Amino acid sequence: RGGGGGAAPPPPPSAPPPRDDLFGPRARIDAVLALRRAARVWQPLGRLLERDVPDVLALTEDELYELLGPAATRLADAGVAVHWPRELARSLSASAVVRPALSAPGSATDGTTFFDSEELLRFNWRLALDGDPLTEREMDTLAESHRPIVRLRDQWVVVDPDLVRKARKRELGLLEPVDALAVALSGTAEVDGETVRAVPVGALAALRDRLVAGPEDITAPAGLDATLRDYQLRGLAWLDLMTSLGLGGCLADDMGLGKTVTLIALHLRRARRAPTLVVCPASLLGNWQREIRRFAPGVPVRRFHGADRSLDGLDAGPDAGGFVLTTYGTLRTSAPRLAGQEWGMVVADEAQHVKNPFSATAKALRTIPTPARVALTGTPVENNLSELWALLDWTTPGLLGPLKTFRSRHARAVENNEEIENEEAVERLARLVRPFLLRRRKSDPGIVPELPPKTESDHPVALTREQASLYEAVVRETMAQIEGAEGIARRGLVMKLLTSLKQICNHPAQYLKEQTAKGGGTARLAGRSGKLALLDELLDTILAEDGAVLVFTQYVTMARLLADHLAARAIPAQLLHGGTPVAERERMVDRFQSGDVPVFLLSLKAAGTGLNLTRAGHVVHFDRWWNPAVEEQATDRAYRIGQTQPVQVHRLIAEGTVEDRIAEMLRAKRALADAVLGSGEAALTELTDRELADLVSLRRPS
């Protein structure tokens, strides 16, 4: 104690106890056992057991990388947790970035097309910390690092050696604009055999965003004499967006949804002085010409087909800015002439005709230069994804890369049996393809309510050379006989003439009473009839959509020829006519309604009433009955109570013939049409020689 009576000072704080006093004996034993267990799964920890106090372990760089990766997982499985300092960041990531090399190429945002630019795009690695991209200086720091932990932005960052290599070699090369767009849309790229995440920036990102977002609403163009349904307006807006960007696209709507009128509207909206070239099967030339004259009256249209075909006058004068129609066959033989003409747009109708990229037709089509390419088809993928590649590689060349690369990266992956890998591959391909392919089905929500329950279409088809020769010969010979006949004899000759001409319009083999191999003869059917060629086109599309169809003809002989033709093509079909027993008739209906047989050939008189065939979504009238009411009764075999799908009615009409003229009168409701409605073709026997000659003479399409 000290003097003065003052208070004693507080005792000094006690010193910390020795380290061994922090744990009891049991805790030390448990810690050693845990350490031994951990050392068995990760050997470097064994060095701790050699220390008097196992508190600190110096690690080599390789050991640190191992602890950051697989060792931590093995330790966790052994019940040993690895705790890292909070300030140690591990969220360094890498992605491939596509950006303009100098200035941004044009995009939809500045009024120019992306592909007008010949500038290549840079393809580089970009590293990011917590999602925030590193600067060039920070990338340099990382590239110069030789340790697994680097100081970045005032924090320690764990660095994978692979990321260091990417920082050291950032340049991945240069990309063509179309390749860059493919990378931007899919969000991935192939780098050294590895699929990596890819990020577009600048104008490329803006273009990607616009394509993904889709088009804005538009109105029908001036000059279109039609009211477009909502889904057709959406299709027009989409085509307008794609062609304005110089990208092209494939409109893959189901049959009957109005691809033709949508394309005509696109032509009017683009309003170019350069003409639009439409390439289609020969059987569709007449339909295109009539649809253009119907929906865009005043727009010039000509056929580049036949011996006297010409492209003169397309660049100036009244024919400028119109339509030119040609066939795939003519394209093959006249590709250099067509390639020498300036086109505002090229359209490939029924584009499945060029699904084989190595065919002469596909190669010829690729030689025609144009700023806008549109493929129209109801069946974009019939057999495999290579067909999809062929279509889109024409509409937007280079988008999907070389065919071999596309098959290895996308097609095989999509067809893989591994479910997770398959889903990822499908989604990756969908991101790439979706902006360039517009596919709508009749069953899609928002489309069926807009469709009328029944849509009727006249399909004009050109006669073949054989048909035209037979037709003109029969008219010349029979008219000479009619001019010298009277009364019943004259009426009989007129009826004979009309029947002969209708049979020639159907097929020369019917008029010439030829038989096919199945019927005991050797007649060849393919290539001799415009109607048969169009029927093949229709059936290919309908069956590819898993549809069913009724085919009516008033002639049993023609029905048998069709049955033999379809059998030769291995298309399942059945034939019902007046001689079919009732029991077999019922079995046929059951087979058709159950979906076993998709094509039902029917004699108009025998099957025009009394049948319920609602499985059919399509009805084809191969030849015309003079009384439309009879055709309507036949159509009602499909269009009746119980029908749940829209019905498409197709009437095949031989162009420039008596069939064509009768169809015109029926549409125009002329006085003669009323007579035909009342008494059928018998009314035509009362025409004068001049009127009859005008009715039956063959008129060449203009």
Side-chain angles (χ1 to χ4, degrees):
R1 286 175 66 138
S14 59
R19 189 187 308 269
D20 288 348
D21 294 343
L22 290 176
F23 298 99
R26 182 63 186 174
R28 289 197 297 274
I29 293 173
D30 287 345
V32 171
L33 291 176
L35 189 57
R36 287 177 178 173
R37 187 168 67 251
R40 283 197 292 270
V41 297
W42 193 51
Q43 290 183 354
L45 290 176
R47 299 201 299 272
L48 278 174
L49 296 171
E50 299 171 1
R51 298 173 61 88
D52 294 335
V53 179
D55 54 356
V56 176
L57 175 64
L59 297 177
T60 66
E61 288 189 7
D62 289 342
E63 289 170 340
L64 179 57
Y65 282 131
E66 189 178 11
L67 184 59
L68 288 166
T73 303
R74 295 200 304 271
L75 288 168
D77 292 341
V80 179
V82 178
H83 297 276
W84 297 94
R86 289 183 179 179
E87 64 272 14
L88 188 62
R90 303 183 62 198
S91 56
L92 195 64
S93 60
S95 58
V97 175
V98 187
R99 60 164 56 88
L102 298 172
S103 59
S107 73
T109 58
D110 61 13
T112 61
T113 63
F114 181 77
F115 289 100
D116 281 346
S117 170
E118 297 180 356
E119 182 181 303
L120 299 178
L121 286 87
R122 288 169 53 194
F123 192 35
N124 300 343
W125 283 117
R126 182 180 71 181
L127 274 63
L129 183 61
D130 293 325
D132 187 17
L134 299 183
T135 65
E136 288 296 316
R137 178 171 293 181
E138 289 169 336
M139 293 272 280
D140 291 340
T141 299
L142 191 61
E144 295 165 2
S145 170
H146 296 282
R147 294 184 176 182
I149 298 180
V150 177
R151 189 76 174 173
L152 288 174
R153 298 178 183 174
D154 295 328
Q155 61 181 319
W156 290 105
V157 180
V158 177
V159 181
D160 188 299
D162 186 50
L163 295 179
V164 174
R165 286 193 293 271
K166 290 179 172 62
R168 289 172 182 166
K169 189 178 180 181
R170 292 166 223 174
E171 302 292 333
L172 291 172
L174 297 173
L175 292 178
E176 296 281 351
V178 69
D179 297 324
L181 181 59
V183 167
L185 288 169
S186 66
T188 62
E190 290 287 328
V191 178
D192 297 330
E194 177 188 1
T195 299
V196 300
R197 191 172 76 91
V199 179
V201 297
L204 181 59
L207 176 61
R208 187 270 317 271
D209 293 343
R210 179 159 185 190
L211 287 175
V212 172
E216 299 175 354
D217 292 340
I218 63 174
T219 58
L224 183 70
D225 191 10
T227 301
L228 297 181
R229 298 189 174 96
D230 286 346
Y231 73 86
Q232 292 170 332
L233 280 172
R234 291 193 296 271
L236 172 61
W238 176 78
L239 285 172
D240 183 59
L241 171 64
M242 301 305 291
T243 55
S244 68
L245 294 172
L247 294 172
C250 177
L251 181 59
D253 286 349
D254 273 357
M255 177 190 294
L257 292 185
K259 293 189 289 291
T260 304
V261 69
T262 304
L263 197 285
I264 293 171
L266 175 66
H267 171 89
L268 292 172
R269 184 172 176 83
R270 287 173 61 81
R272 303 294 195 271
R273 290 289 295 172
T276 291
L277 175 67
V278 176
V279 189
C280 64
S283 56
L284 299 181
L285 280 175
N287 187 68
W288 268 98
Q289 188 166 13
R290 293 197 181 195
E291 296 282 270
I292 293 167
R293 288 175 174 170
R294 174 186 175 189
F295 295 125
V299 173
V301 55
R302 72 163 75 175
R303 299 186 188 192
F304 184 73
H305 183 60
D308 56 348
R309 55 183 179 264
S310 170
L311 297 175
D312 296 340
L314 285 179
D315 299 322
D319 283 349
F323 280 90
V324 175
L325 313 177
T326 192
T327 67
Y328 287 106
T330 303
L331 172 71
R332 287 193 297 271
T333 59
S334 300
R337 288 178 64 187
L338 292 169
Q341 171 67 41
E342 180 186 357
W343 303 106
M345 179 166 59
V346 175
V347 179
D349 190 18
E350 298 297 337
Q352 64 271 17
H353 283 266
V354 291
K355 65 187 180 183
N356 178 2
F358 306 109
S359 67
T361 303
K363 290 178 180 178
L365 188 61
R366 289 167 185 268
T367 66
I368 312 300
T370 178
R373 295 175 172 182
V374 176
L376 304 178
T377 178
T379 55
V381 182
E382 291 183 295
N383 298 309
N384 55 58
L385 288 176
S386 295
E387 296 172 2
L388 179 64
W389 178 91
L391 289 182
L392 295 187
D393 192 63
W394 174 69
T395 60
T396 311
L399 174 72
L400 302 181
L403 178 58
K404 184 177 180 180
T405 303
F406 173 78
R407 283 213 55 81
S408 63
R409 186 179 182 200
H410 295 290
R412 292 196 185 102
V414 168
E415 294 157 5
N416 194 319
N417 291 326
E418 294 292 332
E419 185 173 346
I420 295 178
E421 293 182 9
N422 179 274
E423 289 179 2
E424 293 174 351
V426 169
E427 178 56 30
R428 187 170 63 239
L429 179 60
R431 286 197 303 269
L432 177 57
V433 168
R434 193 180 291 124
F436 300 88
L437 177 71
L438 186 60
R439 174 73 165 141
R440 275 93 62 89
R441 300 179 181 275
K442 293 173 187 155
S443 56
D444 289 349
I447 290 184
V448 171
E450 297 186 34
L451 286 174
K454 179 173 65 174
T455 303
E456 301 182 2
S457 304
D458 288 346
H459 296 273
V461 295
L463 298 180
T464 64
R465 186 172 300 175
E466 180 186 8
Q467 284 177 296
S469 298
L470 280 173
Y471 189 101
E472 291 181 320
V474 168
V475 168
R476 186 171 55 250
E477 294 169 8
T478 311
M479 283 303 299
Q481 298 173 14
I482 290 172
E483 290 169 1
E486 294 179 356
I488 295 177
R490 183 183 183 279
R491 285 194 287 270
L493 285 172
V494 173
M495 295 294 290
K496 178 184 177 183
L497 171 63
L498 295 174
T499 300
S500 297
L501 296 182
K502 288 165 70 177
Q503 291 179 351
I504 292 169
C505 290
N506 279 354
H507 200 290
Q510 182 188 0
Y511 170 73
L512 297 172
K513 296 180 172 56
E514 297 175 356
Q515 290 184 321
T516 62
K518 189 174 181 180
T522 58
R524 178 181 60 84
L525 297 182
R528 299 172 63 193
S529 164
K531 283 189 179 182
L532 186 62
L534 179 57
L535 180 65
D536 281 342
E537 293 279 349
L538 290 172
L539 292 182
D540 287 347
T541 302
I542 292 168
L543 298 182
E545 296 174 358
D546 197 27
V549 58
L550 309 179
V551 182
F552 285 101
T553 173
Q554 58 190 288
Y555 301 104
V556 176
T557 53
M558 189 64 232
R560 289 196 171 108
L561 290 173
L562 291 176
D564 291 350
H565 175 70
L566 296 180
R569 291 194 61 204
I571 293 178
Q574 58 186 9
L575 167 60
L576 186 153
H577 54 79
T580 305
V582 174
E584 178 60 17
R585 181 185 177 106
E586 293 174 353
R587 284 193 290 270
M588 284 183 170
V589 171
D590 290 341
R591 284 197 294 269
F592 182 80
Q593 288 292 86
S594 65
D596 293 340
V597 181
V599 181
F600 205 160
L601 304 169
L602 306 118
S603 163
L604 191 64
K605 286 186 177 180
T609 58
L611 294 179
N612 187 344
L613 301 171
T614 53
R615 165 90 173 112
H618 295 266
V619 177
V620 176
H621 292 288
F622 193 82
D623 40 54
R624 299 302 308 276
W625 192 256
W626 300 120
N627 188 340
V630 176
E631 290 182 350
E632 289 172 3
Q633 284 182 337
T635 298
D636 286 347
R637 300 314 95 220
Y639 178 55
R640 58 195 295 115
I641 297 299
Q643 179 59 270
T644 59
Q645 57 185 325
V647 174
Q648 293 283 317
V649 182
H650 311 271
R651 293 186 290 254
L652 310 192
I653 301 172
E655 199 173 25
T657 69
V658 62
E659 282 190 340
D660 205 0
R661 229 90 79 240
I662 293 293
E664 284 179 10
M665 288 187 288
L666 292 174
R667 284 194 299 268
K669 305 289 186 183
R670 294 180 184 171
L672 181 59
D674 294 334
V676 171
L677 286 172
S679 56
E681 58 194 38
L684 303 179
T685 64
E686 304 304 319
L687 297 177
T688 66
D689 290 350
R690 182 184 295 272
E691 290 171 336
L692 183 62
D694 182 67
L695 181 71
V696 300
S697 60
L698 182 62
R699 298 177 186 176
R700 303 290 182 178
S702 58

